[in-house]
Amino acid sequence: MLAWALLLLCSLAAAHGGETPSPLILREVAVPRLGAAPSLEDFLSMQPRGAAAEKMLRVTGFVQRAPHDGEAPSQQTDVYLGYDHKNFYAVFVCFDREPGKVRAHLSRREDIFDDDTVELMLDTFQDQRRAYSFQVNPLGVQWDAIWTEVERQGVFDSDPHFDISFDTLWYSRGKLTPQGFVAWMAIPFRSLRFTPGPSMRWGVVLNRSIVRENEDDFWPEISRKVEGRLNQAGAAKGLEGISPGRNMQFIPYGVFRSFRAPDFTASAPSFQQRDAQGRFGLDSKFIFHDNLVLDVTANPDFSEVESDDPQVTVNQRFEVFFPEKRPFFQENSDFFRTPINLFFTRRIGNPSAGVRLTGKVGPYSLGVLAADDRDAGAGLPASSPLFGERAYFTVARVNRELPHQSSVGAIYTDWELPFDGEFNRIGGVDTRLKFGANWTARLQSVVSSTRHADGSYQAGPASLVEAAYTGSHLEYFSRYTDISPGFTTAAGFVNRVDVRDLRQAVSYQFRPKHSWVLSWEPSFNVNPVWAHDGTRLDTFYSPFLQVTLKHRTFFSLEPYTTFRERLRPQDFFSLSTDRDYHEHLSGASLTSTPVKLVTFTGQYYWGSSLNFVPPGTAEPFVAHLDSARAVVTLRPMTTLKIDNSYLFNRLRLSSGGASIFNNHIVRSKWNWQFTRELSLRMILQYTSTLTNPAHTFLPTSKQFNADFLVTYLVHPGTAIYVGYNSDLLNLDPNTFALRPENRLINDSRQFFVKASYLLRF
């Protein structure tokens, strides 16, 4: 099978490796300076009215990127651009021949992708590396991010370009009209970083997404035939007499809460309870030389404003990744990103202070972060002399631009536990290289140095080589990762060492015209893994088919994935010799938004999997797996969104079918958006793992969590949150052990009020 896949790859590459993209016309526009600010009402007739609106530059001539690259859009879009001494303005006038089918909901900030959207991208340094992205739906609900010009991480991976941690102050409005909708944006120059000059040029990209047609239209043309987006951007010139300003920003906050929670630092199991507790802190931002940003946080608060999406965590051999949700660590995270994940901010659990310097100086991008972590000593008994001690994190990153969107960089991370002499330090270099319009490569080499609490020392290298081809139809991705046995990262996320891992994926997308099928894409993945002594550990082969239909409908089929896995005595203490296991998986999934009111997703996989949690000293063994996921999103009103999800994971004996465990996660999330600022969110989640002690050591667990949050968000930085969450668990209050026969008891609860206010000078 592998030989046929490689033969197919070579044939496709030979046929398309010389693919020449259509000539790109780089569009340059002169943006006019306005004497007054335009308003949304100036455009509700779908034509500019008034002195300011009529002076704005009209941009038209959008081109499809999806579903049919290079073709004319199905609907007309006009964009009007202008600026004054404070703001950059963009007004999208979006015509629609069926205005009743425009999708628009009044939702919380950044929850807009069930709707039609428009986007303004500004590459303020015009370096084709990084750009601001501002998007709104037809009612003006905002979404913002930083776009970084990096390639996809694999055929099946989601788009990693957007760093959605970026939140800033800007203004937007939107309104449906009898002919479509109008969206108005005003971007303050104080919310952007750029180098001022007498007359500046910025890269600019305009985008409109029409959900019901799975359509993306761009100005200028952003072709699939070329890897990257900013290298195809237009140019906005004529920006004069503006400056980002050397501004300062302060966000003081206060939190008041009462809570009850288990006290794991006590000598015997007990609960701690506070009827009232106050906490204050300050986030501050200072701008130097127009493009360097110093962030300082004192006593940061991470109240449970955001909630992790549910994931299956039972019977997992390796650590499960949960993305960062905390704003301080999310912001500018792309400055510290490298191919090997060497800085995973969730390792910093409870900092008392942090400082971060990020920005750009000439061709150099810089990032330095330092923070402490109170969690290091918080879990120890109060009687311990190490109780309250802290760990310290330091990360430094520099990246130097090279021609043709290439770059070279270096990174250093340091994790210290001074109270017992532990440390973990990593240093290394990496590069991104671009060859022509379609090929990119990334390389990284690092080495770690670690001293443990017992005084022992270890060190080891890690490296990565990656190549990717992105074309109009063909995509190919290959990555080789070598993680030595002695490599350790305390600040990053590398959940497996002593591996040589080769991943390859190839896909080819067909886009039939005049069909209810917009595209269909067969692909093939292969992933062998070896240990450094030459032992074959894993071999993974997976054919895959993705079909895209109209009305945001996606169907995927995984007909037969085969997986060979070898476990060694060092992997599991119950093994005396190496054991080889053969597993397989088949499945399908369907996602569709047939009408505005309903979106549903269903997937089901079946096959075999290892039982990594056998009882006592039993060896792992292959069992039958059933895995399902169902999600139904309802919008009974424009202001109400209900997300209901169910995850099911079952393992049972291959012979006889006796149960090993059944894992259920049921979650319902309700969000009422009463106004653009005021919302109410409710999350109810029930999780249970029902186990058979004859075949697993996992205890039976049952948990119910309720989370309520009222939010009044004026803009990022200025908000009031009122929340309550409660957790019930089948816990024995005398031992804190899970007991199958026990009723659910309230093991923790919290009520909190948080207020913050943005001050800019």
Side-chain angles (χ1 to χ4, degrees), residues 48 98 181 260 343 448 585 649:
E98 299 177 283
F181 69 92
R260 178 178 185 267
F343 185 41
S448 72
L585 195 69
N649 203 49

Side-chain angles (χ1 to χ4, degrees), residues 32-38 82-89 187-191 194 200 202 239-245:
R33 189 180 183 105
L34 308 177
Y83 74 99
D84 59 20
H85 66 291
K86 289 185 177 181
N87 302 310
F88 187 96
Y89 299 99
I187 317 298
F189 294 121
R190 297 184 75 177
S191 296
F194 56 91
M200 289 170 286
W202 291 357
L239 301 169
E240 301 174 346
I242 61 173
S243 171

